[in-house]
């Protein structure tokens, strides 16, 4: 029983919630590999994707997920519309709400903005990333990818490397992996670590080789262009030298360790192209595939709780 | 004006530390006599108020209040601010100069004071800008502004980052005997942050400002005060690191004082769990260790003054994601119950509390209030320290309703308020 109206973060999910999503997503992986990929569990429902921050892959993934399940999907590129003319987030939400959507998928550049919007609308809201707070579907797709490769999602050692401080992906993954009882390490220079990281249930390393020692999974994070030029790290080439994942550094991990990246990658900054494109180690393309399946599962589970639906009040 | 007798009161006099039964005789806006007999003989024709044994104290002198005139009257006018102050037991509001345009010119100051005189139920004591346009580059005309009635100089929430400019401001103000009020937050360190940097902020994904942004600026200021010998007041001190710097400066005998708002010793960062923008303050709410240290510093007198840091904001500017919402909270009507928390916690007695609320700020600003003595102004608050109630923000008199105490259980509030012997508030 998945008893949530919204998916705003991993923080609100229990172990059984996470497993329900992953188990259902597993079915949708199969469906998406068939010739006929259509289901009708969202038939008649309207899904609006509102991206206040530009994103190609996440938006496409949500669009495809909704369409495969039979929803009417609309994309609003809010980054370039009335919001720029001074309309507030809440005005936009109230306007949209009047159009009776059933599911809103929202990305916003400010932490907490998606939760704020969820309070003002009547429909289900999925957080597609808010500021540096959470990006729950990314953590879920990562979890699904790990489980498929490692056969389990507990008692694994996972290293998350890179710009932890500015990353919502890192926060959601730290919460999820801890909740599923894994050992989590973070590897980064101190300038890219958030305050209090030592009390988030992770082991902290600034030496990448030591941090990768014996890990099952290596998760790389993207380093934003504007943070490469001196304020947080001296240069992209020094960053690559100390924190870029190359074959030598990867050799400290377990021989069967997998390499993940949420994309889009900066080849030669945080990851060596040889590692990124190594079919025996890199599961980066598979993460994209799992993304669609996980989002289908989330849409399906939330839709069951919409009034009038199979699991919702009438 | 005929005489007024307030009898059967519990007199709270911070100047003498006295807390006991008595009565006051008021005439011509001044306290004419203080009696330790709760029911003294009535002079002929005097009006009589029975205080019912409740505490009667010198009215609060609030050192940090923002009023929207000129420029933002929809947020707060002198009329609404005066009503809110009177209802909160505040009899003098020290208004901040960051209006639109800012009070950096005698003409603007005179305009604002004309409005204040016409509309405000309580006394208004203006501060003027420390630098022109509050841009931190050139000093304002302190001489002219003092003549026009300014009591102190400050750039409000805009710290002066250039130490040479600030040194010159201190030096020049010192030669005029003027008080300089500064907001000790390093602007470069505080630039990106909207909450205090901590584990909790990291989990919320909000960009934080390190608490040492306050200490670093205060340390710099203390060094410049040492060079210039100027009179200095830190408008809000909210962290342990800054308290250390303040203590060292006072131990050296520098002429420095500091204030804190009641928000910063009654609330902490954990109140931010659900991104509530009414809790977005400048400086931000701190970790519990800082809150507790600040409360202790108020009790032991290291922090001299409690203020409201009353900052009205309209609904629109707070109905935003936390990072972009406006800073500040209204405080005139919650200052007294907030401060009384220290009394109810047993941290300090009522005379000491009113030392921080009334006497110390009056002294620092060179005002005659803050005491129950013959010849002192009859600015008074009668309050019920123990009455419990749930605060409803829409019941506030301020035009803006942005208080973090909405729907919270409060204890204590003003019952009647007098300014110059005239009743300006009576709880119905």
């Amino acid at each position: 029983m998945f008893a949530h109206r919204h998916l705003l973060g991993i923080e609100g999910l229990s172990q059984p919630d996470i497993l329900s999503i992953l188990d259902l997503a597993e079915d949708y992986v199969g469906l998406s590999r068939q010739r006929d990929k259509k289901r009708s569990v969202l038939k008649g429902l309207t899904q609006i994707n509102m991206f206040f921050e530009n994103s190609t892959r996440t938006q496409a993934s949500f669009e495809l997920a909704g369409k495969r399940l039979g929803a009417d999907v609309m994309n609003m590129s809010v980054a370039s519309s009335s919001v720029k003319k001074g309309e507030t987030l809440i005005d936009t939400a109230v306007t949209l709400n009047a159009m009776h959507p059933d599911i809103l998928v929202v990305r916003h550049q400010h932490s907490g903005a998606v939760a704020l919007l969820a309070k003002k609308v009547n429909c289900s809201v999925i957080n597609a990333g808010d500021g540096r707070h959470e990006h729950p579907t990314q953590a879920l797709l990562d979890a699904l990818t790990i489980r498929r490769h490692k056969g389990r999602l507990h008692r694994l050692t996972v290293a998350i490397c890179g710009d932890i401080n500015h990353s919502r992906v890192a926060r959601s993954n730290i919460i999820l992996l801890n909740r599923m009882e894994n050992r989590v390490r973070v590897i980064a220079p101190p300038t890219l670590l958030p305050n209090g990281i030592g009390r988030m249930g992770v082991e902290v390393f600034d030496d990448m080789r030591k941090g990768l020692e014996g890990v099952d999974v290596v998760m790389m994070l993207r380093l934003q262009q504007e943070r490469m030029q001196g304020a947080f790290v001296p240069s992209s080439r020094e960053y690559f030298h100390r924190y870029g994942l190359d074959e030598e550094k990867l050799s400290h991990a377990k021989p069967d360790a997998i390499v993940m990246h949420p994309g889009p990658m900066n080849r030669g900054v945080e990851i060596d192209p040889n590692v990124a494109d190594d079919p025996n180690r890199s599961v980066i393309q598979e993460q994209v595939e799992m993304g669609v399946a996980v989002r289908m599962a989330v849409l399906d589970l939330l839709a069951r709780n919409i009034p009038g639906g199979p699991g919702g009040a009438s | 004006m005929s005489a007024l007798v307030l009898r059967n009161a519990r007199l709270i006099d911070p100047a003498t530390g006295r807390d006991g039964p008595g009565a006051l005789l008021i005439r011509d806006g001044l306290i004419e006599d203080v009696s330790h007999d709760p029911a003294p003989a009535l002079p002929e024709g005097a009006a009589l108020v029975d205080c019912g044994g409740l505490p009667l104290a010198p009215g609060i002198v609030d050192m940090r209040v923002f009023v929207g005139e000129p420029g933002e009257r929809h947020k707060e006018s002198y009329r609404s601010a005066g009503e809110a102050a009177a209802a909160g037991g505040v009899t003098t509001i020290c208004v901040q100069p960051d209006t639109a345009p800012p009070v950096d010119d005698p003409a603007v100051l005179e305009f604002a004071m004309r409005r204040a005189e016409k509309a405000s139920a309580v006394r208004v004591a203006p501060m003027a800008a420390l630098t022109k346009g509050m841009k931190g580059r050139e000093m304002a005309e302190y001489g002219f502004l003092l003549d026009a009635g300014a009591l102190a100089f400050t750039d409000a929430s805009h710290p002066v980052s250039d130490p040479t400019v600030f040194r010159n401001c201190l030096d020049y103000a010192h030669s005029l005997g003027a008080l300089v009020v500064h907001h000790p937050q390093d602007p470069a360190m505080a630039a990106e942050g909207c909450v205090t940097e901590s584990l909790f902020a990291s989990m919320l994904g909000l960009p934080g400002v390190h608490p040492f942004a306050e200490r670093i600026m205060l340390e710099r200021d203390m060094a410049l005060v040492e060079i210039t010998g100027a009179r200095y007041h830190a408008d809000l001190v909210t962290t342990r690191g800054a308290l250390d710097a303040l203590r060292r400066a006072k131990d050296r005998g520098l002429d420095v004082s500091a204030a804190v708002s009641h928000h910063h010793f009654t609330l902490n960062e954990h109140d931010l769990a659900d991104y509530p923008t009414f809790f977005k303050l400048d400086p931000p709410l701190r970790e519990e260790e800082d809150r507790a240290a600040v409360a202790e510093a108020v009790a032991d007198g290291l922090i001299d003054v409690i203020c409201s840091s009353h900052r009205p904001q309209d609904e629109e500017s707070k109905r935003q994601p936390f990072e972009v919402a406006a800073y500040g909270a209204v405080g005139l009507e919650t200052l007294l119950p907030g401060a009384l928390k220290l009394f109810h916690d047993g941290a300090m007695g009522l005379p000491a509390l009113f030392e921080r609320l009334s006497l110390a700020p009056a002294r620092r600003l060179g005002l005659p209030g803050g005491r129950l003595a013959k010849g002192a102004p009859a600015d008074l608050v009668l309050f019920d320290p123990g009455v419990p109630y749930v605060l409803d923000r829409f019941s506030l008199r301020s035009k803006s309703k942005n208080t973090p105490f909405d729907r919270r259980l409060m204890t204590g509030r003003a019952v009647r308020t007098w300014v110059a012997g005239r009743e300006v508030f009576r709880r119905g």
Side-chain angles (χ1 to χ4, degrees):
Chain A
M1 182 67 200
F2 185 84
H4 298 274
R5 183 168 166 223
H6 308 300
L7 178 67
L8 299 178
I10 298 295
E11 187 60 60
L13 299 182
S14 64
Q15 264 196 19
D17 288 336
I18 292 167
L19 292 174
S20 318
I21 296 170
L22 299 186
D23 291 346
L24 183 59
E26 202 68 66
D27 295 347
Y28 284 130
V29 174
L31 175 69
S32 293
R33 288 178 179 178
Q34 293 172 15
R35 186 172 184 281
D36 176 6
K37 303 175 178 63
K38 275 282 226 189
R39 283 288 179 277
S40 57
V41 296
L42 300 186
K43 191 165 181 294
L45 299 183
T46 304
Q47 170 190 339
I48 301 183
N49 298 335
M50 275 173 88
F51 281 63
F52 291 88
E53 201 179 60
N54 287 321
S55 151
T56 316
R57 36 180 79 217
T58 307
Q59 185 166 343
S61 183
F62 270 109
E63 182 175 358
L64 210 50
K67 285 183 170 162
R68 283 190 184 161
L69 295 179
D72 292 315
V73 183
M74 187 179 110
N75 287 313
M76 285 195 50
S77 49
V78 212
S80 56
S81 71
S82 54
V83 179
K84 287 265 157 70
K85 296 175 198 153
E87 189 177 76
T88 68
L89 173 66
I90 291 176
D91 289 336
T92 311
V94 169
T95 307
L96 271 181
N97 195 46
M99 301 178 194
H100 297 292
D102 301 285
I103 298 168
L104 279 179
V105 178
V106 186
R107 167 168 290 188
H108 199 280
Q109 61 274 31
H110 292 128
S111 301
V114 180
L116 173 68
L117 190 140
K119 282 190 214 157
K120 307 289 174 186
V121 296
N122 299 323
C123 58
S124 288
V125 175
I126 298 175
N127 182 0
D130 64 323
R132 38 176 103 165
H133 176 224
E134 280 231 46
H135 189 354
T137 55
Q138 179 70 42
L140 288 163
L141 76 88
D142 289 342
L144 182 62
T145 311
I146 293 171
R147 193 172 77 169
R148 286 168 65 92
H149 279 269
K150 296 292 161 191
R152 64 176 198 270
L153 191 56
H154 57 274
R155 276 185 281 120
L156 294 166
T157 303
V158 181
I160 306 177
C161 317
D163 186 358
I164 313 286
N165 189 25
H166 299 96
S167 173
R168 54 192 170 221
V169 176
R171 278 173 185 70
S172 288
N173 265 313
I174 289 171
I175 299 168
L176 187 147
L177 292 167
N178 271 325
R179 194 142 299 163
M180 301 311 291
E181 296 167 19
N182 296 282
R183 286 182 71 171
V184 183
R185 298 179 182 174
V186 297
I187 305 171
T191 45
L192 296 177
L193 287 172
N195 187 310
I197 182 75
R199 289 179 286 153
M200 285 186 196
V202 299
E203 297 167 81
V204 182
F205 292 84
D206 56 18
D207 180 328
M208 192 160 185
R209 290 176 182 83
K210 281 188 192 146
L212 289 180
E213 207 65 59
V215 303
D216 298 288
V217 177
V218 185
M219 279 187 182
M220 301 306 298
L221 297 173
R222 178 180 167 79
L223 183 67
Q224 299 288 344
Q225 194 72 37
E226 65 269 22
R227 304 203 172 102
M228 293 176 199
Q229 318 295 347
F232 291 91
V233 295
S235 66
S236 55
R237 63 182 193 181
E238 174 157 332
Y239 185 79
F240 181 69
H241 177 68
R242 297 195 62 211
Y243 295 100
L245 186 66
D246 55 20
E247 282 162 345
E248 190 277 318
K249 294 195 194 87
L250 183 58
S251 70
H252 294 261
K254 278 193 184 157
D256 63 346
I258 55 170
V259 174
M260 307 176 76
H261 193 296
M265 280 182 281
N266 297 302
R267 286 186 170 81
V269 177
E270 68 255 359
I271 192 161
D272 188 300
N274 291 335
V275 174
D277 303 327
D278 177 355
N280 297 316
R281 310 303 294 271
S282 166
V283 297
I284 295 168
Q285 289 311 309
E286 194 178 328
Q287 284 174 274
V288 178
E289 182 188 356
M290 294 309 120
V292 178
V294 152
R295 285 164 185 135
M296 289 167 82
V298 167
L299 288 166
D300 183 353
L301 287 168
L302 288 177
R304 294 177 194 184
N305 295 332
I306 291 172
S314 56
Chain B
M1 193 173 168
S2 64
L4 169 69
V5 171
L6 309 179
R7 72 170 187 187
N8 188 22
R10 173 180 165 191
L11 298 184
I12 308 295
D13 184 10
T16 59
R18 196 169 175 282
D19 176 355
L24 295 182
L25 171 62
I26 316 278
R27 201 191 300 271
D28 297 331
L30 300 176
I31 298 174
E32 189 175 278
D33 198 14
V34 182
S35 162
H36 294 165
D37 176 359
L42 283 184
E44 189 132 348
L48 179 70
V49 170
D50 189 310
C51 296
L54 290 176
L56 181 66
I60 296 168
V61 178
D62 190 340
M63 275 186 89
R64 197 165 199 262
V65 176
F66 296 86
V67 175
E69 289 192 69
E72 290 185 312
R73 254 172 94 175
H74 69 289
K75 292 186 177 175
E76 195 82 286
S77 67
Y78 273 108
R79 182 173 309 283
S80 60
E83 283 171 13
V90 176
T91 52
T92 301
I93 54 176
C94 203
V95 293
Q96 300 293 295
D98 60 341
T99 45
V103 183
D104 62 353
D105 180 289
V108 182
L109 181 59
E110 277 161 16
F111 168 81
M113 287 311 99
R114 264 204 310 283
R115 284 286 312 146
E117 203 162 312
K118 224 168 136 182
S120 172
V122 302
R123 296 181 200 266
V124 176
M127 289 191 190
L130 189 66
T131 64
K132 285 186 187 133
M134 298 191 305
K135 291 192 164 75
R137 289 199 286 270
E138 304 156 59
M139 66 179 85
E141 296 169 316
Y142 302 155
F144 285 149
L145 287 160
L146 282 170
D147 292 345
L151 286 178
F153 296 93
T154 181
D155 277 354
S157 304
H158 307 270
V160 178
S161 57
D162 185 329
T164 306
V165 172
F166 195 61
R167 177 190 169 184
N168 288 342
C169 291
L170 287 171
D171 246 339
Y172 193 85
H174 182 44
S175 72
L176 295 168
L179 178 69
V180 171
V181 179
H182 201 225
H183 189 61
Q185 300 294 327
D186 186 276
M189 284 185 82
E192 224 199 308
C194 60
V195 293
T196 200
E197 195 178 303
S198 69
L199 168 65
F200 191 66
S202 296
M203 292 312 292
L204 289 173
L206 292 173
V209 45
H210 197 279
F212 273 26
E214 184 172 297
R215 175 185 168 181
I216 286 169
M217 189 53 109
L218 193 67
E219 297 269 20
R220 181 205 80 170
D221 287 0
M222 294 303 95
L224 293 174
V225 169
E226 197 176 320
I227 296 173
T228 58
R231 299 176 62 215
Y232 176 97
H233 175 78
D235 64 357
L236 294 167
V237 168
T238 62
T239 58
R240 282 164 289 172
L243 289 175
D244 287 344
L246 182 65
R247 183 175 292 112
R248 273 183 276 116
K250 285 190 165 186
D251 287 348
R252 286 174 158 216
L254 302 183
D255 189 0
V256 298
S257 59
V260 68
S261 90
H262 60 300
H263 299 112
H264 286 96
F265 61 78
T266 53
L267 305 168
N268 70 19
E269 56 157 0
H270 290 288
D271 290 300
L272 301 174
D274 199 21
Y275 303 95
T277 57
F278 283 3
F279 292 73
K280 182 178 177 181
L281 306 178
D282 171 28
L285 292 174
R286 301 295 188 180
E287 291 185 273
E288 172 56 19
E289 292 82 358
D290 283 318
R291 186 209 62 79
V294 164
E296 205 182 305
V298 172
D300 72 21
L302 177 60
I303 291 180
D304 311 81
V305 170
I306 304 172
C307 66
S308 72
S309 199
H310 179 82
R311 167 76 79 176
Q313 297 289 5
D314 53 29
E315 297 286 301
E316 195 75 346
S317 61
K318 285 285 189 181
R319 277 169 30 130
Q320 296 278 358
F322 195 91
E323 285 168 62
V324 288
Y327 287 95
V330 291
L332 282 167
E333 289 165 82
T334 52
L335 172 58
L336 180 57
L340 279 169
K341 185 144 193 322
L342 296 173
F343 167 69
H344 292 300
D345 289 349
M348 54 202 304
L350 290 177
L353 194 66
F354 276 85
E355 213 269 333
R356 313 285 186 275
L357 287 167
S358 308
L359 181 59
R363 272 193 184 141
R364 199 63 180 145
L365 294 165
L367 297 171
R371 65 196 81 212
L372 301 183
K374 276 183 200 173
D379 296 355
L380 301 161
V381 54
L382 183 73
F383 62 101
D384 183 344
V387 59
Y389 57 101
V390 174
L391 188 94
D392 171 7
R393 70 188 184 103
F394 294 105
S395 71
L396 298 177
R397 275 101 179 146
S398 277
K399 275 195 187 174
S400 299
K401 314 292 182 190
N402 53 308
T403 174
F405 295 109
D406 186 37
R407 286 172 293 170
R408 288 205 179 212
L409 185 64
M410 312 292 277
T411 307
R413 61 185 168 197
V415 177
R416 294 172 88 152
T417 308
W418 294 267
V419 172
R422 195 169 59 83
E423 186 172 88
V424 292
F425 172 73
R426 181 174 194 172
R427 198 164 293 281

